[in-house]
PDB file of all heavy atoms in Angstrom:
ATOM      1  N   ARG G  22     141.529  48.637  84.762  1.00 98.00           N
ATOM      2  CA  ARG G  22     141.917  49.983  84.310  1.00 98.00           C
ATOM      3  C   ARG G  22     143.130  49.821  83.388  1.00 98.00           C
ATOM      4  O   ARG G  22     144.207  50.386  83.660  1.00 98.00           O
ATOM      5  CB  ARG G  22     142.302  50.886  85.489  1.00 98.00           C
ATOM      6  CG  ARG G  22     141.223  51.164  86.511  1.00 98.00           C
ATOM      7  CD  ARG G  22     141.701  52.179  87.530  1.00 98.00           C
ATOM      8  NE  ARG G  22     141.665  53.532  86.998  1.00 98.00           N
ATOM      9  CZ  ARG G  22     142.476  54.519  87.417  1.00 98.00           C
ATOM     10  NH1 ARG G  22     143.405  54.279  88.335  1.00 98.00           N
ATOM     11  NH2 ARG G  22     142.384  55.726  86.900  1.00 98.00           N
ATOM     12  N   PRO G  23     142.971  49.044  82.334  1.00 98.00           N
ATOM     13  CA  PRO G  23     144.159  48.689  81.533  1.00 98.00           C
ATOM     14  C   PRO G  23     144.880  49.899  80.961  1.00 98.00           C
ATOM     15  O   PRO G  23     146.113  49.899  80.863  1.00 98.00           O
ATOM     16  CB  PRO G  23     143.586  47.799  80.418  1.00 98.00           C
ATOM     17  CG  PRO G  23     142.121  48.083  80.394  1.00 98.00           C
ATOM     18  CD  PRO G  23     141.737  48.444  81.787  1.00 98.00           C
ATOM     19  N   ASP G  24     144.122  50.963  80.595  1.00 98.00           N
ATOM     20  CA  ASP G  24     144.769  52.144  80.012  1.00 98.00           C
ATOM     21  C   ASP G  24     145.619  52.891  81.036  1.00 98.00           C
ATOM     22  O   ASP G  24     146.474  53.702  80.670  1.00 98.00           O
ATOM     23  CB  ASP G  24     143.717  53.077  79.377  1.00 98.00           C
ATOM     24  CG  ASP G  24     142.556  53.373  80.317  1.00 98.00           C
ATOM     25  OD1 ASP G  24     142.287  52.544  81.212  1.00 98.00           O
ATOM     26  OD2 ASP G  24     141.940  54.439  80.185  1.00 98.00           O
ATOM     27  N   LYS G  25     145.419  52.625  82.323  1.00 98.00           N
ATOM     28  CA  LYS G  25     146.245  53.235  83.393  1.00 98.00           C
ATOM     29  C   LYS G  25     147.110  52.169  84.064  1.00 98.00           C
ATOM     30  O   LYS G  25     147.538  52.337  85.214  1.00 98.00           O
ATOM     31  CB  LYS G  25     145.354  53.915  84.441  1.00 98.00           C
ATOM     32  CG  LYS G  25     144.444  54.996  83.887  1.00 98.00           C
ATOM     33  CD  LYS G  25     145.237  56.174  83.335  1.00 98.00           C
ATOM     34  CE  LYS G  25     144.321  57.234  82.738  1.00 98.00           C
ATOM     35  NZ  LYS G  25     145.075  58.210  81.920  1.00 98.00           N
ATOM     36  N   LEU G  26     147.369  51.094  83.350  1.00 98.00           N
ATOM     37  CA  LEU G  26     148.163  49.975  83.881  1.00 98.00           C
ATOM     38  C   LEU G  26     147.647  49.519  85.251  1.00 98.00           C
ATOM     39  O   LEU G  26     148.405  49.114  86.121  1.00 98.00           O
ATOM     40  CB  LEU G  26     149.654  50.346  83.961  1.00 98.00           C
ATOM     41  CG  LEU G  26     150.300  50.830  82.650  1.00 98.00           C
ATOM     42  CD1 LEU G  26     151.800  51.029  82.843  1.00 98.00           C
ATOM     43  CD2 LEU G  26     150.025  49.903  81.489  1.00 98.00           C
ATOM     44  N   ASN G  27     146.314  49.602  85.377  1.00 98.00           N
ATOM     45  CA  ASN G  27     145.635  49.172  86.607  1.00 98.00           C
ATOM     46  C   ASN G  27     146.191  49.843  87.861  1.00 98.00           C
ATOM     47  O   ASN G  27     146.267  49.223  88.939  1.00 98.00           O
ATOM     48  CB  ASN G  27     145.658  47.637  86.732  1.00 98.00           C
ATOM     49  CG  ASN G  27     144.883  47.000  85.601  1.00 98.00           C
ATOM     50  OD1 ASN G  27     143.727  47.356  85.368  1.00 98.00           O
ATOM     51  ND2 ASN G  27     145.514  46.106  84.857  1.00 98.00           N
ATOM     52  N   ALA G  28     146.598  51.102  87.706  1.00 98.00           N
ATOM     53  CA  ALA G  28     146.968  51.895  88.888  1.00 98.00           C
ATOM     54  C   ALA G  28     145.774  51.889  89.832  1.00 98.00           C
ATOM     55  O   ALA G  28     144.620  52.014  89.408  1.00 98.00           O
ATOM     56  CB  ALA G  28     147.328  53.318  88.477  1.00 98.00           C
ATOM     57  N   MET G  29     146.063  51.744  91.113  1.00 97.00           N
ATOM     58  CA  MET G  29     144.979  51.557  92.074  1.00 97.00           C
ATOM     59  C   MET G  29     144.462  52.892  92.594  1.00 97.00           C
ATOM     60  O   MET G  29     145.079  53.528  93.448  1.00 97.00           O
ATOM     61  CB  MET G  29     145.454  50.660  93.199  1.00 97.00           C
ATOM     62  CG  MET G  29     145.699  49.240  92.672  1.00 97.00           C
ATOM     63  SD  MET G  29     145.827  48.043  93.986  1.00 97.00           S
ATOM     64  CE  MET G  29     147.347  48.537  94.688  1.00 97.00           C
ATOM     65  N   ARG G  60     148.240  45.164  79.786  1.00 98.00           N
ATOM     66  CA  ARG G  60     149.638  44.728  79.728  1.00 98.00           C
ATOM     67  C   ARG G  60     150.335  44.732  81.079  1.00 98.00           C
ATOM     68  O   ARG G  60     151.532  44.447  81.156  1.00 98.00           O
ATOM     69  CB  ARG G  60     150.413  45.563  78.708  1.00 98.00           C
ATOM     70  CG  ARG G  60     150.545  47.038  79.019  1.00 98.00           C
ATOM     71  CD  ARG G  60     151.143  47.789  77.827  1.00 98.00           C
ATOM     72  NE  ARG G  60     151.078  49.213  78.009  1.00 98.00           N
ATOM     73  CZ  ARG G  60     152.072  49.951  78.505  1.00 98.00           C
ATOM     74  NH1 ARG G  60     153.206  49.382  78.838  1.00 98.00           N
ATOM     75  NH2 ARG G  60     151.927  51.263  78.631  1.00 98.00           N
ATOM     76  N   ALA G  61     149.617  45.071  82.156  1.00 98.00           N
ATOM     77  CA  ALA G  61     150.230  45.078  83.491  1.00 98.00           C
ATOM     78  C   ALA G  61     149.241  44.523  84.505  1.00 98.00           C
ATOM     79  O   ALA G  61     148.035  44.723  84.361  1.00 98.00           O
ATOM     80  CB  ALA G  61     150.606  46.502  83.885  1.00 98.00           C
ATOM     81  N   ALA G  64     150.531  48.948  88.148  1.00 98.00           N
ATOM     82  CA  ALA G  64     151.704  49.829  88.306  1.00 98.00           C
ATOM     83  C   ALA G  64     151.657  50.559  89.647  1.00 98.00           C
ATOM     84  O   ALA G  64     152.355  51.557  89.828  1.00 98.00           O
ATOM     85  CB  ALA G  64     151.797  50.810  87.150  1.00 98.00           C
ATOM     86  N   GLY G  65     150.850  50.075  90.580  1.00 97.00           N
ATOM     87  CA  GLY G  65     150.894  50.614  91.944  1.00 97.00           C
ATOM     88  C   GLY G  65     149.789  51.604  92.236  1.00 97.00           C
ATOM     89  O   GLY G  65     148.807  51.714  91.497  1.00 97.00           O
ATOM     90  N   ALA G  66     149.987  52.323  93.328  1.00 96.00           N
ATOM     91  CA  ALA G  66     149.000  53.335  93.720  1.00 96.00           C
ATOM     92  C   ALA G  66     148.845  54.351  92.600  1.00 96.00           C
ATOM     93  O   ALA G  66     149.802  54.661  91.884  1.00 96.00           O
ATOM     94  CB  ALA G  66     149.473  54.035  94.989  1.00 96.00           C
ATOM     95  N   ASP G  67     147.633  54.876  92.445  1.00 97.00           N
ATOM     96  CA  ASP G  67     147.391  55.892  91.408  1.00 97.00           C
ATOM     97  C   ASP G  67     148.021  57.207  91.861  1.00 97.00           C
ATOM     98  O   ASP G  67     147.467  57.928  92.696  1.00 97.00           O
ATOM     99  CB  ASP G  67     145.883  56.048  91.176  1.00 97.00           C
ATOM    100  CG  ASP G  67     145.590  56.944  89.975  1.00 97.00           C
ATOM    101  OD1 ASP G  67     146.319  57.949  89.797  1.00 97.00           O
ATOM    102  OD2 ASP G  67     144.651  56.638  89.230  1.00 97.00           O
ATOM    103  N   ILE G  68     149.207  57.497  91.310  1.00 95.00           N
ATOM    104  CA  ILE G  68     149.947  58.667  91.807  1.00 95.00           C
ATOM    105  C   ILE G  68     149.289  59.977  91.371  1.00 95.00           C
ATOM    106  O   ILE G  68     149.433  60.987  92.057  1.00 95.00           O
ATOM    107  CB  ILE G  68     151.438  58.622  91.395  1.00 95.00           C
ATOM    108  CG1 ILE G  68     151.631  58.174  89.963  1.00 95.00           C
ATOM    109  CG2 ILE G  68     152.232  57.757  92.306  1.00 95.00           C
ATOM    110  CD1 ILE G  68     153.073  57.921  89.586  1.00 95.00           C
ATOM    111  N   LYS G  69     148.549  59.938  90.285  1.00 96.00           N
ATOM    112  CA  LYS G  69     147.866  61.178  89.860  1.00 96.00           C
ATOM    113  C   LYS G  69     146.708  61.480  90.806  1.00 96.00           C
ATOM    114  O   LYS G  69     146.519  62.619  91.237  1.00 96.00           O
ATOM    115  CB  LYS G  69     147.375  61.053  88.426  1.00 96.00           C
ATOM    116  CG  LYS G  69     148.520  61.061  87.423  1.00 96.00           C
ATOM    117  CD  LYS G  69     148.045  60.978  85.996  1.00 96.00           C
ATOM    118  CE  LYS G  69     149.248  60.933  85.061  1.00 96.00           C
ATOM    119  NZ  LYS G  69     148.909  60.499  83.700  1.00 96.00           N
ATOM    120  N   GLU G  70     145.946  60.461  91.138  1.00 95.00           N
ATOM    121  CA  GLU G  70     144.839  60.674  92.077  1.00 95.00           C
ATOM    122  C   GLU G  70     145.387  61.081  93.449  1.00 95.00           C
ATOM    123  O   GLU G  70     144.834  61.973  94.113  1.00 95.00           O
ATOM    124  CB  GLU G  70     143.994  59.400  92.210  1.00 95.00           C
ATOM    125  CG  GLU G  70     142.744  59.614  93.048  1.00 95.00           C
ATOM    126  CD  GLU G  70     142.022  58.314  93.351  1.00 95.00           C
ATOM    127  OE1 GLU G  70     142.571  57.489  94.128  1.00 95.00           O
ATOM    128  OE2 GLU G  70     140.923  58.113  92.829  1.00 95.00           O
ATOM    129  N   TYR G 110     153.871  44.530  84.493  1.00 98.00           N
ATOM    130  CA  TYR G 110     154.361  45.277  85.658  1.00 98.00           C
ATOM    131  C   TYR G 110     153.575  44.916  86.914  1.00 98.00           C
ATOM    132  O   TYR G 110     152.344  44.899  86.903  1.00 98.00           O
ATOM    133  CB  TYR G 110     154.228  46.779  85.415  1.00 98.00           C
ATOM    134  CG  TYR G 110     155.148  47.305  84.348  1.00 98.00           C
ATOM    135  CD1 TYR G 110     154.643  47.775  83.142  1.00 98.00           C
ATOM    136  CD2 TYR G 110     156.519  47.342  84.547  1.00 98.00           C
ATOM    137  CE1 TYR G 110     155.482  48.274  82.151  1.00 98.00           C
ATOM    138  CE2 TYR G 110     157.378  47.834  83.560  1.00 98.00           C
ATOM    139  CZ  TYR G 110     156.860  48.300  82.373  1.00 98.00           C
ATOM    140  OH  TYR G 110     157.695  48.777  81.408  1.00 98.00           O
ATOM    141  N   LEU G 112     154.099  46.469  90.384  1.00 98.00           N
ATOM    142  CA  LEU G 112     154.960  47.480  91.015  1.00 98.00           C
ATOM    143  C   LEU G 112     154.318  48.115  92.251  1.00 98.00           C
ATOM    144  O   LEU G 112     153.090  48.308  92.301  1.00 98.00           O
ATOM    145  CB  LEU G 112     155.270  48.598  90.010  1.00 98.00           C
ATOM    146  CG  LEU G 112     155.969  48.186  88.707  1.00 98.00           C
ATOM    147  CD1 LEU G 112     156.143  49.410  87.803  1.00 98.00           C
ATOM    148  CD2 LEU G 112     157.301  47.510  88.982  1.00 98.00           C
ATOM    149  N   GLY G 113     155.166  48.479  93.203  1.00 98.00           N
ATOM    150  CA  GLY G 113     154.714  49.251  94.361  1.00 98.00           C
ATOM    151  C   GLY G 113     153.508  48.616  95.030  1.00 98.00           C
ATOM    152  O   GLY G 113     153.513  47.437  95.386  1.00 98.00           O
ATOM    153  N   GLY G 114     152.442  49.407  95.189  1.00 97.00           N
ATOM    154  CA  GLY G 114     151.219  48.891  95.805  1.00 97.00           C
ATOM    155  C   GLY G 114     150.634  47.722  95.023  1.00 97.00           C
ATOM    156  O   GLY G 114     149.940  46.873  95.591  1.00 97.00           O
ATOM    157  N   TYR G 135     159.703  47.991  93.465  1.00 98.00           N
ATOM    158  CA  TYR G 135     159.184  49.112  94.261  1.00 98.00           C
ATOM    159  C   TYR G 135     159.879  50.382  93.764  1.00 98.00           C
ATOM    160  O   TYR G 135     160.972  50.710  94.222  1.00 98.00           O
ATOM    161  CB  TYR G 135     159.435  48.836  95.759  1.00 98.00           C
ATOM    162  CG  TYR G 135     158.522  47.750  96.264  1.00 98.00           C
ATOM    163  CD1 TYR G 135     158.851  46.404  96.099  1.00 98.00           C
ATOM    164  CD2 TYR G 135     157.302  48.065  96.836  1.00 98.00           C
ATOM    165  CE1 TYR G 135     157.978  45.397  96.521  1.00 98.00           C
ATOM    166  CE2 TYR G 135     156.426  47.068  97.261  1.00 98.00           C
ATOM    167  CZ  TYR G 135     156.771  45.741  97.093  1.00 98.00           C
ATOM    168  OH  TYR G 135     155.904  44.755  97.495  1.00 98.00           O
ATOM    169  N   PRO G 136     159.259  51.094  92.815  1.00 98.00           N
ATOM    170  CA  PRO G 136     159.931  52.240  92.176  1.00 98.00           C
ATOM    171  C   PRO G 136     159.819  53.560  92.938  1.00 98.00           C
ATOM    172  O   PRO G 136     160.236  54.602  92.411  1.00 98.00           O
ATOM    173  CB  PRO G 136     159.202  52.339  90.826  1.00 98.00           C
ATOM    174  CG  PRO G 136     157.867  51.725  91.045  1.00 98.00           C
ATOM    175  CD  PRO G 136     157.973  50.767  92.193  1.00 98.00           C
ATOM    176  N   GLU G 137     159.281  53.512  94.166  1.00 97.00           N
ATOM    177  CA  GLU G 137     159.017  54.767  94.885  1.00 97.00           C
ATOM    178  C   GLU G 137     160.234  55.694  94.927  1.00 97.00           C
ATOM    179  O   GLU G 137     160.122  56.906  94.697  1.00 97.00           O
ATOM    180  CB  GLU G 137     158.522  54.464  96.318  1.00 97.00           C
ATOM    181  CG  GLU G 137     157.059  54.022  96.391  1.00 97.00           C
ATOM    182  CD  GLU G 137     156.826  52.546  96.084  1.00 97.00           C
ATOM    183  OE1 GLU G 137     157.793  51.858  95.662  1.00 97.00           O
ATOM    184  OE2 GLU G 137     155.691  52.074  96.243  1.00 97.00           O
ATOM    185  N   ARG G 140     160.964  58.087  92.249  1.00 95.00           N
ATOM    186  CA  ARG G 140     160.037  59.226  92.150  1.00 95.00           C
ATOM    187  C   ARG G 140     160.185  60.174  93.328  1.00 95.00           C
ATOM    188  O   ARG G 140     159.348  61.066  93.516  1.00 95.00           O
ATOM    189  CB  ARG G 140     158.586  58.732  92.102  1.00 95.00           C
ATOM    190  CG  ARG G 140     158.341  57.777  90.979  1.00 95.00           C
ATOM    191  CD  ARG G 140     156.892  57.424  90.805  1.00 95.00           C
ATOM    192  NE  ARG G 140     156.730  56.973  89.446  1.00 95.00           N
ATOM    193  CZ  ARG G 140     156.419  57.762  88.424  1.00 95.00           C
ATOM    194  NH1 ARG G 140     156.195  59.031  88.634  1.00 95.00           N
ATOM    195  NH2 ARG G 140     156.328  57.288  87.213  1.00 95.00           N
ATOM    196  N   LEU G 142     159.711  59.353  96.387  1.00 94.00           N
ATOM    197  CA  LEU G 142     158.665  59.042  97.374  1.00 94.00           C
ATOM    198  C   LEU G 142     159.215  58.084  98.426  1.00 94.00           C
ATOM    199  O   LEU G 142     159.980  57.164  98.089  1.00 94.00           O
ATOM    200  CB  LEU G 142     157.467  58.364  96.691  1.00 94.00           C
ATOM    201  CG  LEU G 142     156.720  59.189  95.651  1.00 94.00           C
ATOM    202  CD1 LEU G 142     155.737  58.296  94.888  1.00 94.00           C
ATOM    203  CD2 LEU G 142     155.984  60.337  96.338  1.00 94.00           C
ATOM    204  N   ASP G 169     164.053  46.892  89.421  1.00 98.00           N
ATOM    205  CA  ASP G 169     163.065  45.905  88.972  1.00 98.00           C
ATOM    206  C   ASP G 169     163.684  44.517  89.046  1.00 98.00           C
ATOM    207  O   ASP G 169     164.886  44.357  88.804  1.00 98.00           O
ATOM    208  CB  ASP G 169     162.660  46.182  87.516  1.00 98.00           C
ATOM    209  CG  ASP G 169     161.807  47.427  87.394  1.00 98.00           C
ATOM    210  OD1 ASP G 169     161.296  47.912  88.420  1.00 98.00           O
ATOM    211  OD2 ASP G 169     161.665  47.921  86.255  1.00 98.00           O
TER     212      ASP G 169
HETATM  213  N1  COA Y 301     149.462  55.982  88.766  1.00 64.25           N
HETATM  214  C1  COA Y 301     148.685  56.603  87.872  1.00 64.25           C
HETATM  215  N2  COA Y 301     148.790  56.411  86.528  1.00 64.25           N
HETATM  216  C2  COA Y 301     149.722  55.521  86.104  1.00 64.25           C
HETATM  217  C3  COA Y 301     150.560  54.828  86.988  1.00 64.25           C
HETATM  218  C4  COA Y 301     150.407  55.083  88.388  1.00 64.25           C
HETATM  219  N3  COA Y 301     151.132  54.438  89.315  1.00 64.25           N
HETATM  220  N4  COA Y 301     151.373  54.016  86.270  1.00 64.25           N
HETATM  221  C5  COA Y 301     151.049  54.203  84.981  1.00 64.25           C
HETATM  222  N5  COA Y 301     150.049  55.114  84.876  1.00 64.25           N
HETATM  223  C6  COA Y 301     149.386  55.588  83.654  1.00 64.25           C
HETATM  224  C7  COA Y 301     150.255  56.585  82.912  1.00 64.25           C
HETATM  225  O1  COA Y 301     150.106  57.889  83.452  1.00 64.25           O
HETATM  226  C8  COA Y 301     149.689  56.453  81.511  1.00 64.25           C
HETATM  227  O2  COA Y 301     148.465  57.147  81.446  1.00 64.25           O
HETATM  228  P1  COA Y 301     148.207  58.245  80.267  1.00 64.25           P
HETATM  229  O3  COA Y 301     148.247  57.427  78.988  1.00 64.25           O
HETATM  230  O4  COA Y 301     146.867  58.800  80.592  1.00 64.25           O
HETATM  231  O5  COA Y 301     149.339  59.217  80.364  1.00 64.25           O
HETATM  232  C9  COA Y 301     149.368  54.973  81.406  1.00 64.25           C
HETATM  233  O6  COA Y 301     149.237  54.505  82.750  1.00 64.25           O
HETATM  234  C10 COA Y 301     150.450  54.155  80.729  1.00 64.25           C
HETATM  235  O7  COA Y 301     151.668  54.371  81.400  1.00 64.25           O
HETATM  236  P2  COA Y 301     153.035  54.749  80.624  1.00 64.25           P
HETATM  237  O8  COA Y 301     153.944  55.387  81.637  1.00 64.25           O
HETATM  238  O9  COA Y 301     152.728  55.514  79.381  1.00 64.25           O
HETATM  239  O10 COA Y 301     153.555  53.294  80.222  1.00 64.25           O
HETATM  240  P3  COA Y 301     155.084  52.865  79.982  1.00 64.25           P
HETATM  241  O11 COA Y 301     155.030  51.489  79.435  1.00 64.25           O
HETATM  242  O12 COA Y 301     155.814  53.907  79.217  1.00 64.25           O
HETATM  243  O13 COA Y 301     155.743  52.796  81.459  1.00 64.25           O
HETATM  244  C11 COA Y 301     155.813  52.199  83.796  1.00 64.25           C
HETATM  245  C12 COA Y 301     155.304  51.843  82.393  1.00 64.25           C
HETATM  246  C13 COA Y 301     155.203  51.208  84.773  1.00 64.25           C
HETATM  247  C14 COA Y 301     157.346  52.074  83.846  1.00 64.25           C
HETATM  248  C15 COA Y 301     155.399  53.648  84.143  1.00 64.25           C
HETATM  249  O14 COA Y 301     154.017  53.808  83.864  1.00 64.25           O
HETATM  250  C16 COA Y 301     155.620  54.020  85.579  1.00 64.25           C
HETATM  251  O15 COA Y 301     156.764  54.255  85.977  1.00 64.25           O
HETATM  252  N6  COA Y 301     154.533  54.095  86.375  1.00 64.25           N
HETATM  253  C17 COA Y 301     154.606  54.492  87.761  1.00 64.25           C
HETATM  254  C18 COA Y 301     155.080  53.324  88.610  1.00 64.25           C
HETATM  255  C19 COA Y 301     155.229  53.743  90.065  1.00 64.25           C
HETATM  256  O16 COA Y 301     156.013  54.614  90.409  1.00 64.25           O
HETATM  257  N7  COA Y 301     154.489  53.044  90.956  1.00 64.25           N
HETATM  258  C20 COA Y 301     154.562  53.287  92.360  1.00 64.25           C
HETATM  259  C21 COA Y 301     153.602  54.336  92.762  1.00 64.25           C
HETATM  260  S1  COA Y 301     153.836  54.848  94.451  1.00 64.25           S
END
Side-chain angles (χ1 to χ4, degrees):
R22 298 186 77 207
D24 50 334
K25 302 295 178 194
L26 305 186
N27 296 308
M29 293 196 291
R60 64 189 171 95
D67 188 321
I68 42 189
K69 289 182 182 165
E70 187 189 69
Y110 292 112
L112 301 178
Y135 288 84
E137 283 82 352
R140 303 188 158 269
L142 297 169
D169 289 345

